[in-house]
């Protein structure tokens, strides 16, 4: 992308992400590991109340949910519940900001990443390499793909240092529709 295209893209995404109050979407997650012949496929639904709360609700192959709400992460693994307090834990706070920013697309105003931009026929991609050592241990690159004309992310790809990766595709997105507050309860 040219400098002019990059500035327009960033402006469009930041402006669009500021308009996202809520988002719901179906997702399909592909976990690709070098030692497996096929990716591990999971499916579910995402709920975002930007920037306060988010719920990843996995429905296939198992029932599993992760809720980010009120400075805490709540995990329900087929009925086994646990909680992590984010407040005071800078790593988890950064993780929370990173995840919500990835989903909403609002990650461009940060000094935590080196960012390059690529344009294809039907999408624009931000490739983000973390600068922080704590994040670099786990993530080599984050790729955010936006289909042309859309300001919410359509695909998130998290590449690990080993080059294994997780790719999440969002479909059936619904923006700024009311979400029952109980969705974000642990």
């Amino acid at each position: 992308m040219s400098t002019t295209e990059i500035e327009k893209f960033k402006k469009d995404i930041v402006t669009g992400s500021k308009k996202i109050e809520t988002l719901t979407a179906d997702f399909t997650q592909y976990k690709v590991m070098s030692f497996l012949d096929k990716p591990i496929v999971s499916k579910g639904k995402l709920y975002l109340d930007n920037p306060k709360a988010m719920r990843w609700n996995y429905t296939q192959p198992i029932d599993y949910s992760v809720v980010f709400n009120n400075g805490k992460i709540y995990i329900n693994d087929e009925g086994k519940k646990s909680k992590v307090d984010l407040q005071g834990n800078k790593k988890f706070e950064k993780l929370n900001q990173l995840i919500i920013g990835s989903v909403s697309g609002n990650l461009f105003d940060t000094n935590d990443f080196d960012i390059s931009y690529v344009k294809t026929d039907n999408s624009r991609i931000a490739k983000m390499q973390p600068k922080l050592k704590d994040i670099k241990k786990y993530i080599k690159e984050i790729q955010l793909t936006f289909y042309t004309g859309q300001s919410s992310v359509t695909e998130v790809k998290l590449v690990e240092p080993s080059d294994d990766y997780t790719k999440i595709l969002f479909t059936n997105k619904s923006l700024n529709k009311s979400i029952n507050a109980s969705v974000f309860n642990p």
Side-chain angles (χ1 to χ4, degrees), residues 149-166:
Q150 294 186 12
S151 59
S152 63
V153 70
T154 300
E155 179 181 314
V156 176
K157 185 175 180 182
L158 303 167
V159 182
E160 299 169 18
S162 66
D163 288 329
D164 291 345
Y165 64 88
T166 302

Side-chain angles (χ1 to χ4, degrees), residues 35 45 49 114 135:
F35 60 88
K45 191 148 189 103
D49 186 359
D114 288 319
I135 295 175

